[in-house]
Coordinates of all heavy atoms in Angstrom, one line a residue:
D1 N 21.4 -16.5 31.0 CA 20.1 -16.0 31.4 C 19.3 -15.5 30.3 O 19.8 -14.7 29.4 CB 20.3 -15.0 32.5 CG 19.1 -14.8 33.4 OD1 18.3 -15.8 33.6 OD2 18.9 -13.7 33.9
H2 N 18.0 -15.8 30.2 CA 17.2 -15.4 29.1 C 16.5 -14.0 29.3 O 15.8 -13.6 28.4 CB 16.1 -16.4 28.8 CG 16.7 -17.7 28.4 ND1 16.6 -18.8 29.2 CD2 17.3 -18.1 27.3 CE1 17.2 -19.9 28.6 NE2 17.6 -19.4 27.4
V3 N 16.8 -13.4 30.4 CA 16.1 -12.1 30.7 C 16.5 -11.0 29.6 O 15.6 -10.3 29.2 CB 16.5 -11.6 32.1 CG1 15.9 -10.2 32.4 CG2 16.0 -12.6 33.1
V4 N 17.7 -11.0 29.2 CA 18.1 -10.0 28.2 C 17.4 -10.3 26.9 O 16.9 -9.3 26.2 CB 19.7 -10.0 28.0 CG1 20.1 -9.1 26.9 CG2 20.4 -9.7 29.3
A5 N 17.3 -11.5 26.5 CA 16.6 -11.9 25.2 C 15.1 -11.5 25.3 O 14.6 -11.0 24.4 CB 16.8 -13.4 24.9
Y6 N 14.5 -11.8 26.5 CA 13.1 -11.4 26.7 C 12.9 -9.9 26.6 O 12.0 -9.4 26.0 CB 12.6 -11.9 28.0 CG 12.5 -13.4 28.2 CD1 12.6 -14.0 29.4 CD2 12.4 -14.3 27.0 CE1 12.5 -15.4 29.5 CE2 12.4 -15.6 27.2 CZ 12.4 -16.2 28.4 OH 12.4 -17.6 28.6
F7 N 13.8 -9.2 27.2 CA 13.7 -7.7 27.2 C 13.9 -7.2 25.8 O 13.1 -6.3 25.4 CB 14.7 -7.1 28.2 CG 14.7 -5.6 28.2 CD1 13.7 -4.9 28.8 CD2 15.7 -4.9 27.5 CE1 13.7 -3.5 28.8 CE2 15.7 -3.5 27.5 CZ 14.7 -2.8 28.1
I8 N 14.9 -7.6 25.1 CA 15.1 -7.2 23.7 C 13.9 -7.5 22.8 O 13.4 -6.7 22.0 CB 16.4 -7.7 23.2 CG1 17.6 -7.1 23.9 CG2 16.5 -7.4 21.7 CD1 18.9 -7.7 23.6
G9 N 13.4 -8.8 22.9 CA 12.3 -9.2 22.1 C 11.1 -8.4 22.4 O 10.4 -8.0 21.5
A10 N 10.7 -8.2 23.7 CA 9.5 -7.5 24.0 C 9.7 -6.0 23.6 O 8.7 -5.4 23.1 CB 9.3 -7.6 25.5
S11 N 10.9 -5.4 23.8 CA 11.1 -4.0 23.4 C 10.9 -3.8 21.9 O 10.2 -2.9 21.4 CB 12.5 -3.6 23.8 OG 12.6 -3.7 25.2
C12 N 11.5 -4.7 21.1 CA 11.4 -4.6 19.7 C 10.0 -4.8 19.2 O 9.6 -4.1 18.3 CB 12.4 -5.6 19.0 SG 14.1 -5.1 19.2
T13 N 9.3 -5.7 19.8 CA 7.9 -6.0 19.4 C 7.1 -4.7 19.7 O 6.2 -4.3 18.9 CB 7.4 -7.2 20.2 OG1 8.1 -8.3 19.8 CG2 5.9 -7.5 19.8
A14 N 7.3 -4.2 20.9 CA 6.5 -3.0 21.3 C 6.8 -1.8 20.4 O 5.9 -1.1 19.9 CB 6.8 -2.6 22.7
I15 N 8.1 -1.6 20.0 CA 8.4 -0.5 19.1 C 7.8 -0.8 17.7 O 7.3 0.2 17.1 CB 10.0 -0.4 19.0 CG1 10.5 0.1 20.4 CG2 10.4 0.5 17.9 CD1 12.0 0.1 20.5
T16 N 7.8 -2.0 17.3 CA 7.3 -2.4 16.0 C 5.8 -2.0 16.0 O 5.3 -1.5 15.0 CB 7.5 -3.9 15.7 OG1 8.9 -4.1 15.7 CG2 6.9 -4.3 14.4
I17 N 5.1 -2.4 17.0 CA 3.6 -2.1 17.1 C 3.3 -0.6 17.1 O 2.5 -0.2 16.3 CB 3.0 -2.8 18.3 CG1 3.0 -4.3 18.1 CG2 1.6 -2.3 18.5 CD1 2.7 -5.1 19.4
V18 N 4.1 0.1 17.8 CA 3.9 1.6 17.9 C 4.2 2.2 16.6 O 3.4 3.0 16.1 CB 4.8 2.2 19.0 CG1 4.8 3.7 18.9 CG2 4.3 1.8 20.4
F19 N 5.3 1.9 16.0 CA 5.7 2.5 14.7 C 4.7 2.1 13.6 O 4.3 2.9 12.7 CB 7.1 2.1 14.2 CG 8.2 2.9 14.9 CD1 9.5 2.5 14.9 CD2 7.9 4.1 15.6 CE1 10.5 3.2 15.6 CE2 8.9 4.8 16.3 CZ 10.2 4.3 16.3
S20 N 4.2 0.8 13.6 CA 3.3 0.4 12.6 C 1.9 1.1 12.7 O 1.3 1.5 11.8 CB 3.1 -1.1 12.7 OG 4.2 -1.8 12.3
A21 N 1.5 1.3 14.0 CA 0.2 2.0 14.3 C 0.4 3.4 13.8 O -0.6 4.0 13.2 CB -0.1 1.9 15.7
W22 N 1.5 4.0 14.1 CA 1.7 5.4 13.7 C 1.7 5.6 12.2 O 1.1 6.5 11.6 CB 3.0 6.0 14.3 CG 3.3 7.4 13.8 CD1 4.3 7.8 12.9 CD2 2.6 8.5 14.3 NE1 4.2 9.1 12.8 CE2 3.2 9.6 13.6 CE3 1.6 8.8 15.1 CZ2 2.8 10.9 13.8 CZ3 1.2 10.1 15.3 CH2 1.8 11.1 14.6
L23 N 2.3 4.6 11.5 CA 2.4 4.7 10.0 C 1.0 4.5 9.4 O 0.6 5.2 8.5 CB 3.4 3.6 9.5 CG 3.7 3.7 8.0 CD1 4.2 5.0 7.6 CD2 4.7 2.6 7.7
I24 N 0.2 3.6 10.0 CA -1.2 3.4 9.5 C -2.0 4.6 9.8 O -2.7 5.1 8.9 CB -1.8 2.1 10.2 CG1 -1.1 0.9 9.7 CG2 -3.3 2.1 10.0 CD1 -1.5 -0.4 10.5
Y25 N -1.8 5.2 10.9 CA -2.5 6.5 11.3 C -2.2 7.6 10.3 O -3.1 8.3 9.8 CB -2.2 6.9 12.7 CG -2.7 8.2 13.1 CD1 -4.1 8.4 13.4 CD2 -1.9 9.4 13.1 CE1 -4.6 9.6 13.8 CE2 -2.4 10.6 13.5 CZ -3.7 10.7 13.8 OH -4.2 12.0 14.1
Q26 N -0.9 7.7 9.9 CA -0.5 8.7 9.0 C -1.1 8.5 7.6 O -1.6 9.4 6.9 CB 1.0 8.7 8.8 CG 1.7 9.3 10.1 CD 1.4 10.7 10.3 OE1 1.5 11.5 9.3 NE2 1.0 11.1 11.5
H27 N -1.2 7.2 7.2 CA -1.9 6.9 5.9 C -3.4 7.3 5.9 O -3.9 7.8 5.0 CB -1.7 5.4 5.5 CG -0.4 5.2 4.8 ND1 -0.2 5.5 3.5 CD2 0.8 4.6 5.2 CE1 1.0 5.2 3.1 NE2 1.6 4.7 4.2
L28 N -4.0 7.0 7.1 CA -5.4 7.3 7.2 C -5.7 8.8 7.2 O -6.7 9.3 6.7 CB -6.0 6.6 8.4 CG -6.0 5.1 8.3 CD1 -6.5 4.5 9.7 CD2 -6.9 4.6 7.2
Q29 N -4.8 9.5 7.8 CA -4.9 11.0 7.9 C -4.7 11.6 6.5 O -5.3 12.7 6.2 CB -3.9 11.6 8.9 CG -4.3 11.3 10.3 CD -5.6 11.9 10.7 OE1 -5.9 13.1 10.5 NE2 -6.4 11.1 11.3
N30 N -3.9 11.0 5.7 CA -3.6 11.6 4.4 C -4.1 10.6 3.3 O -3.3 10.1 2.4 CB -2.0 11.8 4.2 CG -1.5 12.7 5.2 OD1 -1.9 13.8 5.3 ND2 -0.5 12.2 6.0
W31 N -5.3 10.4 3.3 CA -6.0 9.4 2.4 C -6.2 10.0 1.1 O -7.3 10.5 0.7 CB -7.3 9.0 3.1 CG -7.9 7.7 2.5 CD1 -9.0 7.6 1.7 CD2 -7.4 6.4 2.7 NE1 -9.3 6.3 1.4 CE2 -8.3 5.5 2.0 CE3 -6.4 5.8 3.4 CZ2 -8.1 4.2 2.0 CZ3 -6.2 4.5 3.4 CH2 -7.1 3.7 2.7
T32 N -5.2 10.0 0.2 CA -5.2 10.7 -1.1 C -5.3 9.7 -2.2 O -5.9 10.0 -3.3 CB -4.0 11.6 -1.3 OG1 -2.8 10.8 -1.1 CG2 -4.0 12.8 -0.3
H33 N -4.8 8.5 -2.0 CA -4.8 7.4 -3.0 C -5.4 6.2 -2.4 O -4.6 5.2 -2.1 CB -3.4 7.2 -3.6 CG -2.7 8.4 -4.2 ND1 -3.2 9.0 -5.3 CD2 -1.6 9.0 -3.8 CE1 -2.4 10.1 -5.5 NE2 -1.5 10.1 -4.6
P34 N -6.7 6.1 -2.2 CA -7.3 5.0 -1.5 C -6.9 3.6 -2.0 O -6.7 2.7 -1.1 CB -8.8 5.2 -1.6 CG -8.9 6.6 -2.0 CD -7.7 7.0 -2.7
K35 N -6.9 3.4 -3.3 CA -6.6 2.0 -3.8 C -5.2 1.6 -3.4 O -5.0 0.4 -2.9 CB -6.7 2.1 -5.3 CG -7.1 0.8 -5.9 CD -7.3 1.0 -7.4 CE -8.2 -0.2 -7.9 NZ -8.5 -0.1 -9.3
Q36 N -4.2 2.4 -3.5 CA -2.8 2.1 -3.2 C -2.7 2.0 -1.7 O -2.0 1.1 -1.1 CB -1.9 3.1 -3.7 CG -1.7 3.1 -5.2 CD -0.8 4.2 -5.7 OE1 -0.6 5.2 -5.0 NE2 -0.3 4.0 -7.0
Q37 N -3.2 3.0 -0.9 CA -3.0 3.1 0.5 C -3.7 1.9 1.2 O -3.2 1.5 2.3 CB -3.5 4.4 1.0 CG -2.5 5.5 0.7 CD -3.0 6.9 1.1 OE1 -4.1 7.3 0.6 NE2 -2.3 7.5 2.0
K38 N -4.8 1.4 0.7 CA -5.4 0.2 1.3 C -4.5 -1.0 1.3 O -4.3 -1.7 2.3 CB -6.7 -0.1 0.6 CG -7.4 -1.3 1.1 CD -8.6 -1.6 0.2 CE -9.1 -3.0 0.5 NZ -10.0 -3.5 -0.5
L39 N -3.8 -1.2 0.2 CA -2.8 -2.2 0.0 C -1.6 -2.0 0.9 O -1.1 -2.9 1.5 CB -2.4 -2.4 -1.4 CG -3.5 -2.8 -2.4 CD1 -3.0 -2.8 -3.8 CD2 -4.1 -4.2 -2.0
I40 N -1.2 -0.8 1.0 CA 0.0 -0.5 1.8 C -0.3 -0.7 3.3 O 0.5 -1.3 4.0 CB 0.4 1.0 1.6 CG1 1.0 1.2 0.2 CG2 1.4 1.5 2.7 CD1 1.2 2.7 -0.1
I41 N -1.5 -0.4 3.7 CA -1.9 -0.6 5.1 C -2.0 -2.1 5.4 O -1.6 -2.6 6.5 CB -3.3 0.1 5.4 CG1 -3.0 1.6 5.5 CG2 -3.9 -0.4 6.7 CD1 -4.3 2.4 5.7
C42 N -2.5 -2.9 4.4 CA -2.5 -4.4 4.6 C -1.1 -4.9 4.8 O -0.9 -5.8 5.6 CB -3.2 -5.0 3.4 SG -5.0 -4.8 3.4
I43 N -0.2 -4.4 4.0 CA 1.2 -4.8 4.1 C 1.8 -4.4 5.5 O 2.5 -5.2 6.1 CB 2.1 -4.3 2.9 CG1 1.6 -5.0 1.6 CG2 3.6 -4.6 3.2 CD1 2.2 -4.4 0.4
I44 N 1.5 -3.2 5.9 CA 2.1 -2.7 7.2 C 1.6 -3.6 8.3 O 2.3 -3.8 9.3 CB 1.7 -1.2 7.4 CG1 2.4 -0.4 6.3 CG2 2.1 -0.8 8.8 CD1 1.9 1.1 6.3
C45 N 0.3 -4.1 8.2 CA -0.2 -4.9 9.3 C 0.5 -6.2 9.5 O 0.4 -6.8 10.5 CB -1.7 -5.1 9.1 SG -2.7 -3.7 9.4
M46 N 1.2 -6.6 8.4 CA 2.0 -7.9 8.5 C 3.1 -7.8 9.5 O 3.4 -8.7 10.2 CB 2.6 -8.3 7.2 CG 1.6 -8.8 6.2 SD 2.3 -9.2 4.6 CE 3.5 -10.4 5.0
V47 N 3.7 -6.6 9.6 CA 4.9 -6.4 10.5 C 4.6 -6.7 12.0 O 5.3 -7.5 12.6 CB 5.5 -5.0 10.3 CG1 6.7 -4.8 11.2 CG2 5.9 -4.8 8.8
P48 N 3.6 -6.1 12.6 CA 3.3 -6.4 14.0 C 2.9 -7.8 14.2 O 3.2 -8.4 15.2 CB 2.3 -5.4 14.4 CG 1.9 -4.6 13.3 CD 2.8 -5.0 12.1
L49 N 2.2 -8.4 13.2 CA 1.7 -9.8 13.3 C 2.9 -10.7 13.4 O 3.0 -11.6 14.2 CB 0.9 -10.1 12.1 CG 0.3 -11.5 12.1 CD1 -0.6 -11.7 13.3 CD2 -0.5 -11.8 10.8
F50 N 3.9 -10.5 12.5 CA 5.2 -11.3 12.6 C 5.9 -11.1 13.9 O 6.5 -12.0 14.4 CB 6.0 -11.0 11.4 CG 5.7 -11.7 10.1 CD1 4.4 -11.6 9.5 CD2 6.5 -12.6 9.6 CE1 4.1 -12.2 8.4 CE2 6.2 -13.3 8.4 CZ 5.0 -13.1 7.8
A51 N 6.0 -9.8 14.3 CA 6.7 -9.5 15.6 C 6.1 -10.2 16.8 O 6.8 -10.7 17.6 CB 6.7 -8.0 15.8
V52 N 4.7 -10.1 16.9 CA 4.1 -10.7 18.0 C 4.2 -12.3 17.9 O 4.5 -12.9 19.0 CB 2.6 -10.4 18.0 CG1 1.8 -11.2 19.0 CG2 2.4 -8.9 18.3
D53 N 4.1 -12.8 16.8 CA 4.3 -14.3 16.6 C 5.7 -14.7 17.1 O 5.9 -15.6 17.8 CB 4.1 -14.7 15.2 CG 4.3 -16.2 15.0 OD1 3.7 -17.0 15.7 OD2 5.1 -16.6 14.0
S54 N 6.7 -13.9 16.7 CA 8.1 -14.2 17.1 C 8.3 -14.0 18.6 O 9.0 -14.8 19.3 CB 9.1 -13.4 16.3 OG 9.0 -13.6 15.0
C55 N 7.7 -13.0 19.2 CA 7.8 -12.7 20.6 C 7.2 -13.8 21.4 O 7.7 -14.2 22.4 CB 7.2 -11.3 20.9 SG 7.7 -10.7 22.5
V56 N 6.0 -14.2 21.0 CA 5.3 -15.3 21.7 C 6.2 -16.6 21.7 O 6.3 -17.3 22.7 CB 3.9 -15.5 21.2 CG1 3.3 -16.8 21.7 CG2 3.0 -14.4 21.5
A57 N 6.7 -16.8 20.5 CA 7.6 -18.0 20.4 C 8.8 -17.9 21.3 O 9.3 -18.9 21.9 CB 8.0 -18.2 19.0
L58 N 9.4 -16.7 21.5 CA 10.5 -16.5 22.3 C 10.2 -16.7 23.8 O 10.9 -17.4 24.5 CB 11.1 -15.1 22.1 CG 12.3 -14.7 23.0 CD1 13.5 -15.5 22.7 CD2 12.6 -13.2 22.9
F59 N 9.0 -16.1 24.2 CA 8.6 -16.1 25.6 C 8.2 -17.5 26.0 O 8.4 -18.0 27.1 CB 7.5 -15.1 25.9 CG 8.0 -13.8 26.2 CD1 8.0 -12.8 25.2 CD2 8.6 -13.5 27.4 CE1 8.4 -11.5 25.5 CE2 9.1 -12.2 27.7 CZ 9.0 -11.2 26.7
D60 N 7.5 -18.2 25.1 CA 6.9 -19.5 25.4 C 7.6 -20.6 24.6 O 7.0 -21.2 23.7 CB 5.4 -19.5 25.2 CG 4.7 -20.6 25.9 OD1 5.4 -21.3 26.7 OD2 3.5 -20.8 25.6
M61 N 8.9 -20.8 24.9 CA 9.7 -21.7 24.1 C 9.2 -23.1 24.2 O 9.3 -23.9 23.3 CB 11.2 -21.7 24.5 CG 11.9 -20.5 24.1 SD 13.6 -20.6 24.5 CE 14.0 -19.0 25.0
H62 N 8.5 -23.4 25.3 CA 7.9 -24.8 25.5 C 6.4 -24.7 25.2 O 5.7 -25.5 25.9 CB 8.3 -25.3 26.9 CG 9.7 -25.3 27.2 ND1 10.6 -26.1 26.5 CD2 10.5 -24.5 28.0 CE1 11.8 -25.9 27.0 NE2 11.8 -24.9 27.8
A63 N 6.0 -23.9 24.3 CA 4.6 -23.8 24.1 C 4.0 -25.1 23.5 O 4.8 -25.9 22.9 CB 4.3 -22.6 23.1
S64 N 2.8 -25.2 23.6 CA 2.1 -26.4 23.0 C 2.2 -26.3 21.5 O 2.2 -25.2 20.9 CB 0.7 -26.5 23.5 OG -0.1 -25.4 23.0
E65 N 2.2 -27.4 20.9 CA 2.3 -27.5 19.4 C 1.0 -26.8 18.8 O 1.1 -26.2 17.8 CB 2.4 -28.9 19.0 CG 3.7 -29.5 19.1 CD 4.8 -28.9 18.2 OE1 4.5 -28.6 17.0 OE2 5.9 -28.6 18.7
T66 N -0.1 -26.9 19.5 CA -1.3 -26.4 19.0 C -1.2 -24.8 19.0 O -1.6 -24.2 18.0 CB -2.5 -26.8 20.0 OG1 -2.5 -28.2 20.1 CG2 -3.8 -26.3 19.4
M67 N -0.7 -24.2 20.0 CA -0.5 -22.8 20.0 C 0.4 -22.3 18.9 O 0.1 -21.3 18.2 CB 0.0 -22.3 21.4 CG 0.2 -20.9 21.6 SD -1.4 -20.1 21.5 CE -1.0 -18.5 22.1
I68 N 1.5 -23.0 18.8 CA 2.5 -22.6 17.7 C 1.9 -22.7 16.4 O 2.0 -21.9 15.5 CB 3.8 -23.4 17.9 CG1 4.5 -23.0 19.2 CG2 4.7 -23.2 16.7 CD1 5.7 -23.8 19.5
M69 N 1.2 -23.8 16.1 CA 0.6 -24.1 14.8 C -0.5 -23.0 14.6 O -0.7 -22.6 13.4 CB 0.0 -25.5 14.8 CG 1.0 -26.5 14.6 SD 0.4 -28.2 14.5 CE -0.6 -28.1 13.0
L70 N -1.3 -22.7 15.6 CA -2.3 -21.6 15.4 C -1.7 -20.3 15.0 O -2.2 -19.7 14.1 CB -3.1 -21.5 16.7 CG -4.2 -20.4 16.7 CD1 -5.3 -20.7 15.8 CD2 -4.7 -20.2 18.1
L71 N -0.7 -19.9 15.8 CA -0.1 -18.6 15.4 C 0.6 -18.6 14.1 O 0.4 -17.6 13.3 CB 0.9 -18.2 16.5 CG 0.4 -17.8 17.9 CD1 1.5 -17.6 18.9 CD2 -0.4 -16.5 17.7
D72 N 1.3 -19.6 13.7 CA 1.9 -19.7 12.4 C 0.9 -19.8 11.3 O 1.1 -19.2 10.2 CB 2.8 -20.9 12.4 CG 4.1 -20.7 13.1 OD1 4.4 -19.5 13.4 OD2 4.8 -21.7 13.4
S73 N -0.2 -20.5 11.5 CA -1.3 -20.6 10.5 C -1.9 -19.2 10.3 O -2.2 -18.8 9.1 CB -2.4 -21.5 11.0 OG -1.9 -22.8 11.1
I74 N -2.2 -18.5 11.3 CA -2.7 -17.1 11.2 C -1.8 -16.2 10.4 O -2.2 -15.5 9.5 CB -3.1 -16.5 12.6 CG1 -4.2 -17.2 13.2 CG2 -3.4 -15.0 12.4 CD1 -4.5 -16.9 14.7
K75 N -0.5 -16.3 10.8 CA 0.5 -15.5 10.1 C 0.6 -15.9 8.6 O 0.6 -15.0 7.7 CB 1.9 -15.7 10.8 CG 3.0 -14.9 10.2 CD 4.3 -15.2 11.0 CE 4.8 -16.5 10.5 NZ 6.2 -16.8 11.0
E76 N 0.7 -17.1 8.3 CA 0.8 -17.6 6.9 C -0.4 -17.3 6.1 O -0.3 -16.9 4.9 CB 1.1 -19.1 6.9 CG 2.5 -19.5 7.5 CD 3.6 -18.9 6.8 OE1 3.6 -18.7 5.6 OE2 4.6 -18.5 7.5
C77 N -1.6 -17.4 6.7 CA -2.9 -17.1 6.0 C -2.9 -15.6 5.6 O -3.3 -15.2 4.5 CB -4.1 -17.5 6.8 SG -4.3 -19.3 6.8
Y78 N -2.6 -14.8 6.6 CA -2.6 -13.4 6.4 C -1.6 -13.0 5.3 O -1.9 -12.1 4.5 CB -2.4 -12.6 7.7 CG -2.6 -11.1 7.5 CD1 -3.9 -10.6 7.3 CD2 -1.5 -10.2 7.4 CE1 -4.0 -9.2 7.1 CE2 -1.7 -8.9 7.2 CZ -3.0 -8.4 7.0 OH -3.2 -7.0 6.8
E79 N -0.4 -13.6 5.4 CA 0.6 -13.3 4.3 C 0.1 -13.7 3.0 O 0.3 -12.9 2.0 CB 1.9 -14.1 4.7 CG 3.0 -13.8 3.7 CD 4.2 -14.6 4.0 OE1 4.2 -15.5 4.9 OE2 5.3 -14.3 3.4
A80 N -0.6 -14.8 2.8 CA -1.1 -15.2 1.6 C -2.2 -14.3 1.1 O -2.3 -14.0 -0.1 CB -1.7 -16.6 1.7
I81 N -3.0 -13.8 2.0 CA -4.1 -12.8 1.6 C -3.5 -11.6 1.1 O -3.9 -11.0 0.1 CB -5.0 -12.6 2.8 CG1 -5.9 -13.8 3.1 CG2 -5.9 -11.4 2.5 CD1 -6.6 -13.8 4.4
V82 N -2.5 -11.1 1.8 CA -1.8 -9.8 1.4 C -1.1 -10.0 0.0 O -1.2 -9.1 -0.9 CB -0.8 -9.3 2.4 CG1 0.0 -8.2 1.9 CG2 -1.6 -8.9 3.7
I83 N -0.5 -11.1 -0.2 CA 0.2 -11.3 -1.5 C -0.8 -11.4 -2.6 O -0.5 -11.0 -3.7 CB 1.1 -12.6 -1.4 CG1 2.3 -12.3 -0.5 CG2 1.6 -13.0 -2.7 CD1 3.1 -13.5 -0.1
S84 N -1.9 -12.0 -2.4 CA -2.9 -12.2 -3.4 C -3.6 -10.9 -3.8 O -4.2 -10.8 -4.9 CB -3.9 -13.2 -3.0 OG -4.8 -12.8 -2.0
C85 N -3.6 -9.9 -2.9 CA -4.2 -8.6 -3.3 C -3.4 -7.9 -4.3 O -3.3 -7.2 -5.0 CB -4.3 -7.7 -2.0 SG -5.5 -8.4 -0.8

């Protein structure tokens, strides 16, 4: 039964989003090194993006190729932008 996998995937994704949002909030509250913290926040934003992409792939195993390609393209483009900064 896939219910356990769905529960674990959704729980981990939710925890990832909450922790990432909290970490971003903490950086914004203590904005002492703007140049560095801007890059750190960009990197932190990758984590929930990857988590959501993986969770959607888990829940919708029979997703259309278009949906999977769209999510993977967004993920890969954002990763390339963060790396180039």
Side-chain angles (χ1 to χ4, degrees):
D1 201 30
H2 296 112
V3 176
V4 175
Y6 293 156
F7 178 75
I8 292 171
S11 299
C12 289
T13 300
I15 290 169
T16 299
I17 292 170
V18 170
F19 283 163
S20 296
W22 178 252
L23 189 56
I24 290 169
Y25 173 76
Q26 289 295 311
H27 274 285
L28 293 174
Q29 289 297 312
N30 301 304
W31 197 251
T32 54
H33 304 295
K35 206 172 202 179
Q36 290 176 341
Q37 286 175 297
K38 178 184 164 196
L39 297 174
I40 291 170
I41 289 173
C42 287
I43 293 170
I44 294 169
C45 287
M46 286 178 61
V47 178
L49 182 63
F50 276 63
V52 169
D53 181 52
S54 298
C55 192
V56 167
L58 176 67
F59 277 102
D60 197 11
M61 287 187 219
H62 304 292
S64 66
E65 284 294 318
T66 307
M67 181 67 165
I68 292 173
M69 286 180 61
L70 175 68
L71 287 173
D72 284 344
S73 296
I74 292 170
K75 181 181 78 171
E76 296 298 326
C77 287
Y78 187 73
E79 181 180 11
I81 290 168
V82 169
I83 290 172
S84 70
C85 290

